[in-house]
Amino acid sequence: MSTSIKTFVFFDLETTGLPQDNPKVTEICLVAVHRCSVENPPRDPATGVPQLPRILDKLCLFMDPGKTVTPKAAEITGLNNINLAKSEKQTFDARTVALIQEFLQRQAQPVCLVAHNGNGYDFPLLKAELVHQGQDLVGQVYCLDTMKALRDLDDYDCPPGGSYTLSALYRRFFKEDPKDSHFAEGDVLAMLVIFLYKASELLEWASTKCGTWAAVKPMYNVQLQQTG
């Protein structure tokens, strides 16, 4: 099946811990880019490195996870139960879901969610948070894991044993470290620049190999949020 995506929504989650911890979200960032900006990105005239498109829709939210942030996650992300509580952040609730839904629905359709290691982490965790609220994304939403896609494309481009972390790929392509690693927006923008750098190959890959949101399973079993 060939799919022509109109909008790519790059997103990243910061969380309380690893999959075995049944994590909860502490930060989410979504950046929507129309296909026309992906196909023809501006480039630095000196280096040829893709520049961020002028037209980007962004939704970035912090939230109280309702459970303890592990020490390692707090060290990596800079987010912990104390600073989130002091900032009076709300939980991932029905209003959060409504914001995400509206953000996606106002984009040109169809939409594809893009996350690095999305199949292994971001997609199933977002699904778990939605299921906890008794909700799900509506409409035909596609999914693209940039880690999987770049592995598939790298038969000719990656040295044996090469790393596919976001930071390692950024260094490989641009010879410098990405900015603001493990800040959700920083990781999203680094992923977007990598996507733009490999746009022609990734767009072709996405046309036949991206998955569907409907096929994503929750990371772990959750109970529906009690209301009323």
Side-chain angles (χ1 to χ4, degrees):
M1 179 184 68
S2 180
T3 303
S4 182
I5 304 301
K6 283 289 189 70
T7 305
F8 293 89
V9 179
F10 298 83
F11 93 101
D12 185 66
L13 304 173
E14 301 301 334
T15 73
T16 59
L18 298 173
Q20 60 266 27
D21 303 316
N22 288 3
K24 300 285 287 180
V25 173
T26 54
E27 182 185 9
I28 182 171
C29 179
L30 301 100
V31 174
V33 185
H34 192 275
R35 185 185 188 93
C36 68
S37 294
V38 175
E39 291 176 330
N40 300 288
R43 294 181 180 271
D44 184 293
T47 65
V49 174
Q51 304 297 291
L52 294 176
R54 175 64 180 89
I55 299 177
L56 301 174
D57 281 352
K58 296 181 182 180
L59 176 64
C60 299
L61 300 168
F62 293 88
M63 52 206 70
D64 183 339
K67 70 181 299 182
T68 301
V69 180
T70 65
K72 186 63 174 178
E75 177 186 350
I76 291 173
T77 68
L79 299 174
N80 57 61
N81 297 99
I82 294 173
N83 61 17
L84 290 167
K86 283 184 175 180
S87 297
E88 301 184 62
K89 295 294 102 179
Q90 303 297 306
T91 60
F92 193 112
D93 58 13
R95 291 171 297 181
T96 311
V97 178
L99 283 169
I100 294 171
Q101 296 274 32
E102 290 297 326
F103 182 84
L104 295 179
Q105 290 173 25
R106 76 185 305 272
Q107 309 303 326
Q109 304 293 313
V111 165
C112 181
L113 292 174
V114 183
H116 199 68
N117 193 29
N119 293 343
Y121 196 83
D122 299 82
F123 299 149
L125 179 52
L126 179 59
K127 177 77 81 164
E129 291 280 20
L130 294 169
V131 169
H132 184 58
Q133 298 301 318
Q135 300 192 55
D136 204 350
L137 302 181
V138 298
Q140 181 64 65
V141 178
Y142 295 95
C143 300
L144 191 159
D145 182 342
T146 49
M147 179 180 283
K148 173 175 172 49
L150 289 167
R151 281 183 185 275
D152 285 356
L153 294 172
D154 262 355
D155 289 342
Y156 60 91
D157 195 32
C158 186
S163 174
Y164 286 88
T165 66
L166 193 63
S167 295
L169 288 166
Y170 196 93
R171 285 191 294 270
R172 172 150 64 98
F173 296 143
F174 308 121
K175 313 306 179 189
E176 62 181 10
D177 290 325
K179 298 177 181 178
D180 299 326
S181 290
H182 301 297
F183 288 45
E185 184 174 356
D187 286 345
V188 164
L189 295 180
M191 177 173 40
L192 172 53
V193 172
I194 288 172
F195 196 97
L196 295 174
Y197 184 75
K198 304 285 286 185
S200 60
E201 297 101 316
L202 287 169
L203 287 171
E204 183 177 355
W205 189 95
S207 69
T208 57
K209 296 184 180 179
C210 62
T212 64
W213 179 256
V216 175
K217 304 299 182 185
M219 180 178 285
Y220 49 83
N221 292 327
V222 296
Q223 293 183 339
L224 294 182
Q225 178 72 30
Q226 296 298 313
T227 59

